[in-house]
Amino acid sequence: VVWRCFAMHKKWPWADFVRQNGIHAVHLNTKHRYPGFGGHWTPEGHRVVADRIQALLQRAGWLSPDR
């Protein structure tokens, strides 16, 4: 399966690779993390990441836009 990259953070070291190879990818880094707790996402961080993944899946046509 050949995928296409839709959303990448410019500073991510693999961004060029996934774009050049048509790989779907999304950057999941967020400032919404618990300090001193292993960098785990806060509830807001989970919402941010879930929204990014949903948008990627919708743009790829793997999830209907009304979800």
Side-chain angles (χ1 to χ4, degrees), residues 8-67:
M8 293 304 311
H9 190 278
K10 292 179 184 178
K11 295 180 182 178
W12 190 52
W14 295 97
D16 290 337
F17 176 82
V18 296
R19 277 193 200 99
Q20 292 167 0
N21 290 283
I23 300 169
H24 284 294
V26 63
H27 200 280
L28 301 180
N29 195 17
T30 175
K31 66 181 181 179
H32 303 286
R33 294 179 176 269
Y34 289 110
F37 189 61
H40 293 279
W41 297 321
T42 64
E44 179 63 20
H46 280 274
R47 282 187 288 278
V48 168
V49 168
D51 288 345
R52 290 178 188 171
I53 293 170
Q54 179 180 11
L56 175 72
L57 295 175
Q58 287 172 332
R59 286 190 299 265
W62 298 335
L63 184 66
S64 64
D66 60 342
R67 290 214 153 235

